Amino acid sequence: CDVVGFTAYCESRQPEEVISHLQEQTEAYENLALRHDLEKIKTIGDAFMATAGLLKPVENPVLNCVKCGLEMVSMTPRLSGGWQVRVGIHVGPVIAGLVGHRKYLFDVWGDIVNTAARVESHGVIDAVNVSRDAWQQIAGLCRGESLGLVEVKGKGAMEMFRVLSIL
């Protein structure tokens, strides 16, 4: 989940205000992630990165992510920052672990992670956007619409979907 227009927002605000709003949003997202059995991986500036099914088995990891994402989108305008967000979801195997010797950080890597980021950045604002692979995991459980083929750096044309609601 990423804040839309965050850089421009920061340019017109005091750092204390930005941090305060980021803290509020991150705490709210952490609570949502816990409620939907997602594992927060990290925040990357204004982005919140999480996984489902990585450390704790869940029946349908994509559905858990979609439910959490829909709540993130609906909650965000009510937070102090008044931001808009985009959520991007993809599905597949990742590499996970710790690297380095200082300030350990559990992280995930791989093409799946990069693809999820591309789905987010090319997706619809104030929406949960999913790849075709992710859509196939939830198609019978959600209402959504195809965004058609979207040209994605390093991927070519990818079909993406916007999730409208849970059935």
Side-chain angles (χ1 to χ4, degrees):
C1 183
D2 191 54
V3 174
V4 177
F6 185 74
T7 301
Y9 178 88
C10 290
E11 290 172 356
S12 63
R13 304 292 191 297
Q14 292 298 313
E16 298 81 8
E17 180 183 357
V18 174
I19 293 297
S20 173
H21 293 167
L22 273 177
Q23 181 68 29
E24 177 190 28
Q25 180 177 3
T26 300
E27 288 178 15
Y29 286 4
E30 287 173 337
N31 289 332
L32 289 176
L34 280 173
R35 190 165 57 221
H36 293 286
D37 290 324
L38 272 64
E39 182 71 30
K40 175 188 171 187
I41 301 299
K42 61 184 169 183
T43 56
I44 310 160
D46 58 307
F48 186 91
M49 182 177 169
T51 65
L54 180 66
L55 301 176
K56 176 183 178 182
V58 295
E59 186 177 330
N60 188 329
V62 175
L63 186 61
N64 285 44
C65 290
V66 166
K67 287 178 178 178
C68 185
L70 289 170
E71 287 192 49
M72 288 172 158
V73 168
S74 68
M75 145 190 296
T76 300
R78 295 190 306 269
L79 299 174
S80 299
W83 293 319
Q84 295 180 294
V85 293
R86 276 188 308 256
V87 174
I89 299 170
H90 188 47
V91 62
V94 297
I95 300 165
L98 298 167
V99 296
H101 292 289
R102 300 187 132 168
K103 294 190 179 186
Y104 290 111
L105 177 67
F106 182 80
D107 208 348
V108 293
W109 302 271
D111 185 57
I112 300 303
V113 177
N114 296 332
T115 301
R118 300 283 192 271
V119 171
E120 176 276 314
S121 66
H122 288 78
V124 175
I125 295 172
D126 287 334
V128 174
N129 304 278
V130 300
S131 66
R132 182 173 30 91
D133 292 345
W135 179 252
Q136 290 173 344
Q137 302 287 317
I138 59 166
L141 305 169
C142 298
R143 191 170 61 84
E145 62 186 7
S146 175
L147 301 175
L149 292 176
V150 178
E151 194 63 34
V152 176
K153 178 183 173 185
K155 294 278 167 201
M158 276 184 58
E159 186 176 19
M160 288 193 238
F161 294 80
R162 174 183 177 196
V163 179
L164 301 172
S165 65
I166 305 293
L167 294 177

